[in-house]
Amino acid sequence: MKLALGPLLYYWPRQEVLDFYAGIAASPVDAVYLGETVCSRRHELRLDDWLELGRQLAAAGKEVILASQSLIESESDLKTLRQIAGQEEFRVEANDMGAVRLLAEAGVTNWIAGPTLNIFNPRTLELLIASGASRWVVAPEIPGAELAAIRAGLVQTIETEVYAYGRLPLAFSARCFTARHFNLQKDACEFRCLAIRDGLPLLTREGEPFLTLNGVQTQSARVHNLLADLPGLAGRAELLRISPQGAHSLEIVRLFRTALEGRLTPAAALDASRDYMPEAPCNGFWHGRPGVEQYVAA
Amino acid sequence: MAASSPIELVCPAGSLPALKTAIDNGADTVYLGFKDATNARNFTGLNFDPPRLREGLAYAHARGRKVLLALNTYPQAGNWPSWTAAVDRAAEFGVDAVILADPGLMDYAAKRHPGLRLHLSVQGSATSYEAINYYHERFGIRRAVLPRVLSLAQVESVIARTPVEIEVFGFGGLCVMVEGRCALSAYATGESPNCQGACSPGRWVRWEETPQGMETRLNGILIDRFAEGERTGYPTLCKGRFEVKGETYYAIEEPASLNTLELLPELARVGIRAIKIEGRQRSPAYVAQVTRVWRAAIDAVMAAPERFQVAPAWMAELNKVSEGQSHTLGAYHRPWK
């Protein structure tokens, strides 16, 4: 089982991003997804910077993938998308059907179908394989049993990557909820995200952490964590995705590696990860239940 | 068939009475769904069984109007045959188009029923002409419904670069999230618009009178609390009041309706082919009121776009049925973002 580091979903100052990936270069992840997938206004690193970072990570032995933006709105979004789809140095994760069209048109045959493409059945996945996808990232809301059924229904083969750790990216909007919190318009947001390392916590009126506001993206408050579910992942995935968080991402990567190598039981790995999570764990989606639940088999 | 106006008015029909009301009040087209999870308004008491669909089709076609069938949820490995059976039934009954979101299902429909007209659902999350043209090239879709995320200028740019007809939402409940890209309901309840055709479904809702006021919960999660005298609202989870950094407010979206009536001349100018009214879950009275106003407004803009003015009576009628009794231009008006 390989470990993949998903794209950084937050907006950090440039040097902090570079420092973070310097740590990742020396970590036991196999694949690293780079690029801005959330908000086109975030520009601490431009595409050229991501490419340069990609070269450094590739030199450190990592498989590097460039991820495309999930919500495409403007002509300038499309311009960036064309640059990503058109470069030949790294594989590309397609996060909307526009990206799929551009990659298929260019005859690229090793791209990755991202988690926002709404792939819920074998027939849709087969179509994407025929268009050149050679790996897909399962939407986090798809249960393990459903994933097994999709894989069983495939005629062609494709690598499967499961979102195994991190706050759940639940929704995208045209509206920026971080700007809204500060009573700013999106076009004049003053880049407030830069000062918020892990997103803005949203609580219910009884103080229960519920969601996380990350600009135009809404995430869960809880951390989707499949460390205790690793036995059920065997045979259903070839890669596990870990989503970067404000602190302790490296510790989480090491815990997954240790557990996969059998040097920690799944239950002990989950326990050990509690020190490194910004919020309580959940795994309901994997078990076909509300995503917010932490399900433990009886 | 009577010629429809250059901008087609597409109205919701959650039931046969709503369908007839929509047509009697001037809808060019109605859209509806079967009584199951194959459509994104899978609510108890709503939608059409086969005999009612036949009756609705006969009623519409006798008056030169069209019927679109929404099969716009995503079939899964285990229930795939239910969705393909629904496509087969749609073709057999002679609906004027099916509204689909899933590429696999579009592929099935295009191959099995080459004469069946395909529309791309808003649930397909296609926000650019590159995405829309993908569906056009692969499956021959003829129309796409845009998610409610683009500004008017962005809509115009899409229209200029695709042969596909563009339909936009004009009025009704407003999804603040990109349709098809929202798992909030799945996170809280396990049921989502994408797979079960429902957002914040009723069976997970609890209303509780407490000393602090009326509380609304979704699977136990407190969505809002209303003080005495405050107008209560259904706990759609993006429209609740939450606390962020010590401040309690509508952190995601106020309960307001989308109302683009005043943009109608602009929508006509940029070449919108159809305007959709949201609300298959609403009553025939709602359908009648909204359809009447939009019919009058579209007729007025078609007759003399330069002289178009929103009649105060139209706005008053629409505000009466708006969620939260207020309205917004949504993403069409850039500052909203």
Side-chain angles (χ1 to χ4, degrees), chain A:
Chain A
M1 186 84 79
K2 289 182 181 173
L3 287 179
L5 186 81
L8 174 62
L9 302 178
Y10 305 109
Y11 190 38
W12 297 343
R14 179 187 173 85
Q15 193 54 49
E16 290 178 28
V17 176
L18 298 177
D19 293 347
F20 173 76
Y21 283 109
I24 290 300
S27 79
V29 292
D30 304 288
V32 183
Y33 290 75
L34 296 177
E36 179 55 53
T37 59
V38 174
C39 177
S40 57
R41 288 180 52 77
R42 297 176 173 181
H43 58 259
E44 285 284 295
L45 274 79
R46 308 266 184 190
L47 184 55
D48 283 345
D49 300 314
W50 288 114
L51 288 168
E52 181 50 38
L53 194 50
R55 287 173 204 124
Q56 291 166 18
L57 287 161
K62 308 300 180 196
E63 186 206 347
V64 173
I65 301 104
L66 277 183
S68 74
Q69 197 171 297
S70 301
L71 170 57
I72 301 289
E73 292 179 57
S74 67
E75 199 57 49
S76 101
D77 292 346
L78 284 173
K79 191 176 157 211
T80 309
L81 185 59
R82 287 191 190 100
Q83 288 170 340
I84 291 172
Q87 59 78 39
E88 290 173 352
E89 220 173 334
F90 302 114
R91 296 173 77 185
V92 174
E93 179 185 84
N95 284 317
D96 106 305
M97 283 305 200
V100 170
R101 179 178 190 245
L102 292 171
L103 289 160
E105 215 173 38
V108 180
T109 54
N110 67 348
W111 52 271
I112 290 114
T116 49
L117 291 186
N118 281 339
I119 303 163
F120 286 102
N121 57 68
R123 184 136 179 181
T124 293
L125 186 50
E126 295 274 8
L127 282 171
L128 296 173
I129 297 171
S131 296
S134 58
R135 180 187 297 164
W136 69 304
V137 186
V138 184
E141 65 184 286
I142 293 183
E146 192 59 41
L147 168 59
I150 295 174
R151 284 171 62 107
L154 288 177
V155 180
Q156 307 167 84
T157 53
I158 186 166
E159 265 188 324
T160 300
E161 179 171 330
V162 166
Y163 194 92
Y165 180 92
R167 284 184 153 146
L168 290 158
L170 294 174
F172 283 93
S173 175
R175 179 174 254 190
C176 175
F177 305 111
T178 302
R180 178 174 170 81
H181 175 73
F182 293 107
N183 289 314
L184 298 168
Q185 283 180 8
K186 184 164 100 175
D187 289 344
C189 68
E190 300 173 6
F191 305 105
R192 294 295 184 100
C193 286
L194 268 177
I196 308 166
R197 194 155 168 97
D198 259 321
L200 279 172
L202 176 150
L203 319 178
T204 69
R205 295 176 76 173
E206 351 182 72
E208 270 297 308
F210 179 34
L211 301 172
T212 301
L213 304 178
N214 177 37
V216 297
Q217 183 185 59
T218 304
Q219 304 177 338
S220 61
R222 288 189 168 209
V223 180
H224 180 74
N225 184 337
L226 298 187
L227 268 172
D229 299 288
L230 289 179
L233 279 155
R236 292 179 182 170
E238 284 73 43
L239 294 95
L240 299 182
R241 172 171 292 199
I242 294 168
S243 189
Q245 61 186 25
H248 306 304
S249 290
L250 288 176
E251 286 89 336
I252 294 294
V253 167
R254 286 190 207 109
L255 265 180
F256 266 88
R257 182 52 74 204
T258 308
L260 285 171
E261 288 170 353
R263 289 185 284 127
L264 256 184
T265 65
L270 174 65
D271 267 346
S273 71
R274 289 180 196 273
D275 290 344
Y276 305 129
M277 285 188 285
E279 196 45 70
C282 63
N283 63 357
F285 277 150
W286 181 250
H287 296 280
R289 308 178 64 83
V292 64
E293 287 183 12
Q294 174 62 17
Y295 180 76
V296 184

Side-chain angles (χ1 to χ4, degrees), chain B residues 93-330:
Chain B
F93 282 20
V95 302
D96 296 282
V98 286
I99 309 169
L100 306 179
D102 182 60
L105 199 60
M106 283 179 217
D107 186 48
Y108 173 84
K111 288 189 173 135
R112 182 66 65 93
H113 306 287
L116 183 61
R117 185 179 156 101
L118 307 184
H119 290 188
L120 173 63
S121 168
V122 71
Q123 294 295 121
S125 322
T127 56
S128 72
Y129 57 86
E130 293 288 1
I132 291 166
N133 290 341
Y134 172 83
Y135 294 97
H136 177 65
E137 289 156 4
R138 300 276 159 158
F139 317 115
I141 62 150
R142 310 275 288 278
R143 182 182 293 182
V145 187
L146 292 183
R148 284 162 275 191
V149 297
L150 300 181
S151 67
L152 198 55
Q154 288 166 345
V155 173
E156 184 172 10
S157 147
V158 169
I159 291 172
R161 291 169 184 83
T162 180
V164 174
E165 296 175 2
I166 296 299
E167 177 173 319
V168 296
F169 276 89
F171 184 84
L174 175 66
C175 269
V176 68
M177 303 304 180
V178 185
E179 295 90 340
R181 293 273 182 81
C182 180
L184 287 177
S185 180
Y187 180 65
T189 72
E191 293 181 43
S192 69
N194 274 352
C195 292
Q196 285 78 25
C199 171
S200 312
R203 69 191 187 95
W204 296 96
V205 169
R206 249 178 30 231
W207 298 80
E208 277 176 343
E209 197 63 72
T210 74
Q212 296 88 41
M214 173 66 85
E215 291 184 348
T216 54
R217 287 176 191 273
L218 196 63
N219 192 18
I221 299 163
L222 183 65
I223 304 299
D224 210 342
R225 179 188 286 152
F226 303 92
E228 203 166 311
E230 239 183 329
R231 192 183 140 95
T232 57
Y234 187 87
T236 305
L237 54 76
C238 60
K239 292 175 181 173
R241 275 176 289 194
F242 301 102
E243 187 190 319
V244 181
K245 297 268 172 217
E247 237 184 284
T248 299
Y249 63 110
Y250 292 108
I252 299 173
E253 169 70 338
E254 289 94 4
S257 284
L258 176 73
N259 184 357
T260 62
L261 208 54
E262 64 184 88
L263 297 180
L264 206 42
E266 278 296 283
L267 292 170
R269 184 187 62 76
V270 304
I272 291 296
R273 181 66 187 84
I275 288 185
K276 178 167 229 152
I277 308 297
E278 187 273 349
R280 284 194 282 136
Q281 72 286 9
R282 305 287 300 261
S283 69
Y286 163 92
V287 173
Q289 216 157 355
V290 177
T291 304
R292 212 158 41 226
V293 169
W294 277 85
R295 175 79 276 150
I298 290 175
D299 289 347
V301 91
M302 288 304 148
E306 68 290 347
R307 289 211 306 275
F308 179 81
Q309 275 192 323
V310 175
W314 294 343
M315 241 27 183
E317 282 287 291
L318 293 180
N319 279 342
K320 269 193 255 173
V321 294
S322 288
E323 190 183 356
Q325 291 183 313
S326 65
H327 61 83
T328 164
L329 290 173

